[in-house]
Amino acid sequence: MKAWVFQGPEQAAWQDVPDPRLMDAADAIVRVDTAGVCGTDLHIMRGEVPDVPAGTVLGHEAVGEVVETGSAVRTVRPGDRVLVSCVSGCGHCRYCRYCREQAYGQCRGGGGWTLGHLIDGTQAEYVRVPFADTGLHTLSHVVSSEVAVLLADIFPTGYEVGVLNGGVRPGDTVVVVGSGPVGLAAIATAHLFAPHAVIAVDLVPARLDAAKHLGADAVVRADEGPEQLVDDLTDGLGADVVIEAAGTPESFGLCTRMVRPGGRVANVGVHARPVTLHLEDLWSRNITVTTGLVDTYSTPTLLRMVEAGRLPAASLVTHAFEMQDAAAAYDVFSSATDTGALKVVLGGQHHDVVAIPA
């Protein structure tokens, strides 16, 4: 089959690789219809995620059709149309048991974020999904592939790591710093909790326009006084919740300056550089700072909301490319300031069958 293969920093190619095969009874093989390109993929391409080895097929978001399952798989079967989650859980360790934490991102049994990271990922004609019972979700025919793929990562991440970790409550003033796909998902899902106001901060006008479309009550460029705007809108108190969705030292510092005493900063962004936590300023302000890797426990709920038309998602996909045009897709997404890209997806032709070795 063909796949988009990482070959080292700033190097990747659409090339022939062996078809995936079942390696465990809990595995499934999925024929990929649509795959997403994530900001984390850009971090990998820049060499900022050093545990991804050269030769890895990238990608951790996809929609497709199950073509084969291992003997232990119970929730899906060949022919099912499915969402491939960015995270899966073994279902047995302390982080994965349904009666405990459902923290699949911290799985100690071989799950967590593996696709396009520790094993071959989804930007390919076919993908092997470990722990298919937690890593796959069957899809209704009413949800398009381009919308469904947004629930593989960005919507659960914005909702769980941003909105829920940040403890958004009715009447809160919420600031989202970074209006990329995950920040936009946080803006959309914050409204589920009836906040007083949601303020979006970014440097890219197209992303601020998208934030308005998804319900931001106010938008401001990061270089045009967001701290003053928040002060003005809160009578000098500061925001109840600030969600960091940009992943830079500057954006994190901005978040800590805009939050009120007793407020919450929820870090969502992937940081490739060290960040200074200014405790000399923060120690007396009763601020809670949370971090997190998405667990995707909310995916079934979010899917039901999309099916019911209660979650705006379709407008986030701005660019679609055939699979073999992955290089162009990455170029467009990495130049979002110029291209206006929000979410970039891949989809294309593949051969008809998976040749599974005996």
Side-chain angles (χ1 to χ4, degrees), residues 15-243:
Q15 65 184 61
D16 289 311
V17 297
D19 286 343
R21 59 185 179 85
L22 298 176
M23 299 177 65
D24 185 271
D27 290 350
I29 305 297
V30 174
R31 184 176 60 201
V32 176
D33 170 51
T34 301
V37 180
C38 179
T40 305
D41 297 323
L42 299 183
H43 283 287
I44 294 171
M45 286 293 295
R46 290 193 289 259
E48 296 169 352
V49 187
D51 51 349
V52 178
T56 301
V57 176
L58 294 184
H60 51 268
E61 308 168 347
V63 171
E65 180 182 332
V66 177
V67 296
E68 188 176 9
T69 59
S71 60
V73 176
R74 296 289 179 267
T75 61
V76 296
R77 59 185 180 180
D80 283 348
R81 181 170 173 258
V82 293
L83 170 68
V84 180
S85 175
C86 66
V87 165
S88 60
C90 69
H92 303 294
C93 74
R94 66 159 293 168
Y95 291 108
C96 294
R97 293 181 184 176
Y98 287 97
C99 59
R100 294 189 182 179
E101 298 185 42
Q102 287 186 272
Y104 303 140
Q106 304 302 321
C107 177
R108 297 176 62 87
W113 172 37
T114 59
L115 291 170
H117 176 210
L118 305 178
I119 65 173
D120 286 338
T122 58
Q123 290 167 10
E125 294 180 321
Y126 294 87
V127 60
R128 177 180 72 90
V129 181
F131 306 115
D133 283 340
T134 60
L136 297 177
H137 303 271
T138 54
L139 289 174
S140 163
H141 69 280
V142 302
V143 182
S144 72
S145 295
E146 286 190 353
V147 170
V149 78
L150 302 177
L151 275 71
D153 183 353
I154 67 169
F155 264 91
T157 298
Y159 180 55
E160 294 175 17
V161 188
V163 174
L164 296 184
N165 279 7
V168 175
R169 295 177 294 210
D172 277 352
T173 295
V174 180
V175 179
V176 180
V177 178
S179 296
V182 172
L184 293 170
I187 290 168
T189 54
H191 280 286
L192 300 175
F193 295 88
H196 171 69
V198 177
I199 303 163
V201 180
D202 203 280
L203 284 168
V204 182
R207 292 189 168 191
L208 293 176
D209 288 342
K212 288 181 187 177
H213 181 75
L214 287 171
D217 300 286
V219 300
V220 59
R221 283 181 57 102
D223 56 0
E224 293 183 351
E227 295 172 69
Q228 186 62 54
L229 175 64
V230 172
D231 273 352
D232 292 345
L233 293 177
T234 62
D235 295 324
L237 181 64
D240 300 287
V241 180
V242 184
I243 297 172

